[in-house]
Amino acid sequence: METDWWLEVENTYAARVKERQDLFKEYGNKVLDYLPGSELVCKELMEMCLQFYCARYPAHFSLSDDKKVFHNRLLGTETIIKRFHPLHILLNNVPEDFAIVLRNEEDGMYYFRAGVICSSLGWNVGTKIGMQLEEIHGKIPDYKEKMSFSMDRFFSKMATHSPIQRGSWGLEVGKPLFMPPGHPHEALREIQNAELKIEECNLRVDWQTLRRLPLSAGIVFNFKALFTPVTEFRDEPYIPALLLKILKEGKKNLMEYKGTWHTEHVCIPKLEEYAAEQVAKGWVVPEMEGQEEWNVATLAESPYFPGWEEKWHRQQGF
């Protein structure tokens, strides 16, 4: 992970903070909760986030000279830090989700002890807090058999100076941010709506970071959900073919877990159309001379496609 980009402030900042505050008002400890023993790690995480904001975005954030008041110029607020629980300060100022796990000295395993999470699908803080990692990830295919032991061992050895980053993706109808069990949006995953249009389909990527805090030794996951319309892939060389390959050939139990089925009747035909169009335009070419087709595989500059910088500049208004 490039640490300068740990917490990004985007043009959706104020709207995201408001959305998260509204979710907390509606759902309470389903989106924010903490257990005894998490006091130090929560305080350390809050201080680390505020210090990062002040150093990275000094025009927008600052601390008073005595370090007791946090000034947020984007929202026009001042927060007396000691008046609030650290996670509430994060909720009101940092539009990221945070999940904190701590090692249990008795069994050596890691448990979910505190968090503020407003973008979970099919679960929430209330259904997971207090659980061991293996319990939390129980529904993930092959986790217990192939990953459980190695994950706890990895956490026990993780250094404070080696944060990591990854993306977890899925296809969604609309832009569902928070979907606890029983939420009405869940019903959309059980059908293939004949009226669904490609313009309603989005790639959701949960951009996740993982790091150990130096004082408490707590492990912190933080993540945010980003949505990209599937129609964007039309002018992104190679991307439609890559996504098609995964949708058609991905491991069955993993694809069922991702829950893309409710969009595939629309996305697969449209991605096939985009992929064929890119070949016809000469945007996608065989890797080696003599090949009639590109051997679909991860791009050499993954996750970047040819021309990504020009497209990004165009979208940013350069």
Side-chain angles (χ1 to χ4, degrees):
M1 183 178 78
E2 294 185 35
T3 51
D4 283 352
W5 298 95
W6 176 40
L7 304 174
E8 295 186 57
V9 173
E10 301 168 312
N11 60 2
T12 58
Y13 173 82
R16 281 288 194 182
V17 170
K18 174 66 164 55
E19 184 177 22
R20 295 163 65 79
Q21 291 170 331
D22 290 344
L23 283 170
F24 177 68
K25 288 176 184 176
E26 182 176 357
Y27 292 101
N29 61 7
K30 290 183 179 180
V31 300
L32 189 157
D33 205 0
Y34 42 88
L35 298 179
S38 65
E39 294 84 0
L40 174 60
V41 67
C42 288
K43 182 173 183 289
E44 182 182 13
L45 173 62
M46 179 270 295
E47 291 177 348
M48 194 170 176
C49 290
L50 297 192
Q51 288 170 354
F52 180 91
Y53 263 15
C54 293
R56 186 72 173 81
Y57 310 104
H60 303 308
F61 309 102
S62 63
L63 290 166
S64 60
D65 292 340
D66 60 7
K67 312 301 183 189
K68 293 181 179 180
V69 180
F70 178 65
H71 302 276
N72 185 327
R73 295 181 186 86
L74 289 179
L75 299 179
T77 59
E78 293 185 352
T79 303
I80 300 174
I81 293 173
K82 287 194 174 181
R83 286 189 180 177
F84 303 93
H85 187 278
L87 293 187
H88 285 274
I89 293 177
L90 292 179
L91 174 76
N92 292 323
N93 292 280
V94 183
E96 297 261 354
D97 284 344
F98 296 94
I100 298 169
V101 297
L102 292 170
R103 185 174 181 269
N104 184 311
E105 295 297 330
E106 295 182 4
D107 61 13
M109 300 300 181
Y110 281 82
Y111 290 77
F112 177 31
R113 306 295 295 173
V116 49
I117 300 174
C118 299
S119 62
S120 54
L121 297 179
W123 63 280
N124 57 63
V125 171
T127 63
K128 299 291 187 181
I129 197 160
M131 287 186 175
Q132 187 185 331
L133 283 180
E134 183 178 308
E135 297 176 276
I136 291 173
H137 296 99
K139 293 184 179 180
I140 297 178
D142 304 327
Y143 182 88
K144 183 175 182 179
E145 297 80 6
K146 297 183 179 180
M147 296 176 64
S148 179
F149 177 73
S150 60
M151 283 295 291
D152 278 281
R153 184 172 60 180
F154 173 78
F155 282 3
S156 68
K157 295 181 178 181
M158 189 176 189
T160 58
H161 61 272
S162 302
I164 60 175
Q165 198 168 47
R166 68 182 288 265
S168 175
W169 68 273
L171 291 174
E172 300 291 348
V173 174
K175 298 181 180 180
L177 182 67
F178 180 66
M179 192 176 72
H183 191 278
H185 198 91
E186 272 192 326
L188 296 180
R189 292 170 167 247
E190 299 172 2
I191 60 170
Q192 287 190 332
N193 181 5
E195 303 299 318
L196 181 65
K197 294 182 171 49
I198 191 64
E199 289 78 13
E200 301 173 74
C201 299
N202 291 280
L203 176 79
R204 171 180 166 140
V205 176
D206 288 289
W207 198 234
Q208 307 167 351
T209 71
L210 178 67
R211 69 190 314 156
R212 182 187 294 281
L213 302 188
L215 298 179
S216 61
I219 299 287
V220 175
F221 294 86
N222 72 282
F223 45 96
K224 68 165 68 174
L226 302 175
F227 294 91
T228 301
V230 173
T231 53
E232 285 286 324
F233 303 150
R234 185 172 187 174
D235 65 354
E236 298 181 357
Y238 297 92
I239 302 303
L242 280 167
L243 183 51
L244 268 174
K245 185 178 179 70
I246 297 169
L247 292 176
K248 290 181 175 181
E249 302 176 21
K251 191 173 181 181
K252 187 173 184 293
N253 61 349
L254 183 59
M255 298 310 297
E256 288 175 351
Y257 171 75
K258 281 188 175 293
T260 60
W261 175 81
H262 67 304
T263 67
E264 290 179 5
H265 65 300
V266 172
C267 288
I268 287 179
K270 190 57 70 170
L271 289 168
E272 289 174 336
E273 178 186 321
Y274 293 167
E277 187 178 74
Q278 290 181 359
V279 171
K281 289 183 175 180
W283 294 358
V284 172
V285 296
E287 282 188 301
M288 299 172 59
E289 290 186 18
Q291 289 185 190
E292 293 184 4
E293 296 182 353
W294 166 53
N295 181 26
V296 182
T298 301
L299 301 177
E301 292 187 70
S302 175
Y304 305 113
F305 55 87
W308 72 268
E309 198 164 12
E310 291 87 346
K311 179 173 182 176
W312 178 69
H313 283 167
R314 187 169 66 251
Q315 291 177 326
Q316 296 298 313
F318 281 35

